[in-house]
Amino acid sequence: MAENTDGVVRVETDGHVARIVIDRPRKHNAITPPMARSLGESCAALDADEAVRIVIITGGGERAFSAGSDMNALGEITDLWAFRNRVEYAAVVRDMRKPVIASLRGWVLGGGLEIALGADIRIAGASAKLGAPEVTRGWVGGGGASQMLPRLVGYGQAMRLLLSGDTIDAAQALRIGLVEEVVEDADLDAHVMALAQRMASFSPIATQTVKAATRAALSMPLEAGIRHENELHVICMSDRGRHEGIAAFQEKRTAKFGE
């Protein structure tokens, strides 16, 4: 566990699933620079841990996933070059090789929304309220909202959120494609964990190449992306997990990938 005097980034593991908790509930899990560094270290460590196959990221308490950057810390910036080279906490989540599920309840704002956008799947509790209020403070977000939102919800919906600074509820977020599912808050943790454990039962080379291929579609032309996918397919064919998958099919049983 990495911590500072006012907030912690906790990592919990359950079999092949790891859970990152941004834990500063009395400040709506707002992220300070030390917490950003801790989140970066946690993401790097989980990416390197071969026992971990799926990562969940969530917020501590019941009121928020994260309200983004700590406003007091932003007000104390004096060295803009150092700020330019900061640990960008949404980027460290977005850059993970392993699949990431964002479990969202309460406020999901600013940099908190950008963390969620950096995940691969977003599942919201009914209490979730999502928004990008940076324009109301005098800036554009620096963690990817202007790039990821149009890819998820289209240009018009992205501009509505980014230029108004308004928040939307979980039902609206589901309708425009910003989240993939909405469940009752009381069921959120169990629902997300069940999904993560199911994904973690698959071959890690399969889940990571699925992510790599699909992420490539966000930036590659179609023909290049298809070629890239085929190369990843060939890599999977070289893995011993292929034989287990075929044997399980032939024997009409569930495949076991290194349990």
Side-chain angles (χ1 to χ4, degrees):
M1 179 172 70
E3 67 178 48
N4 69 8
T5 58
D6 200 27
V8 300
V9 174
R10 294 188 285 110
V11 175
E12 307 162 349
T13 57
D14 183 351
H16 293 305
V17 176
R19 194 166 177 264
I20 300 173
V21 183
I22 303 166
D23 200 3
R24 195 188 180 199
R26 69 186 186 88
K27 294 292 186 180
H28 290 118
N29 301 318
I31 298 173
T32 62
M35 291 173 69
R37 290 191 290 272
S38 295
L39 181 57
E41 292 164 2
S42 298
C43 289
L46 293 175
D47 242 0
D49 186 344
E50 293 187 4
V52 172
R53 298 182 181 180
I54 303 292
V55 176
I56 297 167
I57 187 161
T58 192
E62 302 298 320
R63 296 187 300 163
F65 172 73
S66 174
S69 297
D70 181 272
M71 293 294 289
N72 292 325
L74 290 181
E76 294 167 359
I77 295 169
T78 56
D79 185 340
L80 288 178
W81 188 255
F83 179 68
R84 174 189 181 274
N85 296 320
R86 71 196 181 282
V87 174
E88 203 343 285
Y89 53 78
V92 300
V93 174
R94 187 172 60 250
D95 291 344
M96 291 193 75
R97 292 181 292 104
K98 296 176 181 178
V100 179
I101 304 171
S103 179
L104 311 172
R105 60 163 55 86
W107 297 108
V108 186
L109 300 176
L113 176 64
E114 289 176 318
I115 291 173
L117 292 170
D120 302 296
I121 299 169
R122 286 151 293 280
I123 300 179
S127 69
K129 295 179 176 62
L130 302 90
E134 288 91 341
V135 71
T136 70
R137 308 298 185 194
W139 57 81
V140 63
S146 68
Q147 305 304 302
M148 296 300 293
L149 267 175
R151 288 169 163 83
L152 282 173
V153 304
Y155 180 83
Q157 293 287 7
M159 291 299 279
R160 177 171 73 94
L161 290 169
L162 294 169
L163 286 177
S164 71
D166 290 344
T167 60
I168 60 174
D169 62 23
Q172 290 175 291
L174 180 65
R175 188 162 58 248
I176 68 173
L178 182 50
V179 301
E180 281 64 61
E181 286 187 86
V182 176
V183 300
E184 292 301 320
D185 279 26
D187 301 326
L188 181 62
D189 290 342
H191 183 82
V192 171
M193 180 57 75
L195 176 61
Q197 288 176 334
R198 180 167 183 265
M199 293 176 177
S201 72
F202 304 144
S203 160
I205 194 170
T207 56
Q208 289 182 45
T209 51
V210 164
K211 176 170 179 171
T214 309
R215 283 294 180 98
L218 299 178
S219 58
M220 282 187 180
L222 177 60
E223 291 303 321
I226 290 173
R227 288 194 298 271
H228 180 63
E229 179 191 71
N230 185 61
E231 296 303 319
L232 293 172
H233 176 65
V234 172
I235 290 171
C236 290
M237 290 299 101
S238 69
D239 181 66
R240 64 180 180 274
R242 166 175 65 103
H243 301 292
E244 169 59 14
I246 293 170
F249 172 80
Q250 293 172 337
E251 297 165 15
K252 296 181 173 55
R253 59 174 175 80
T254 299
K256 297 184 183 300
F257 297 103
E259 297 295 328

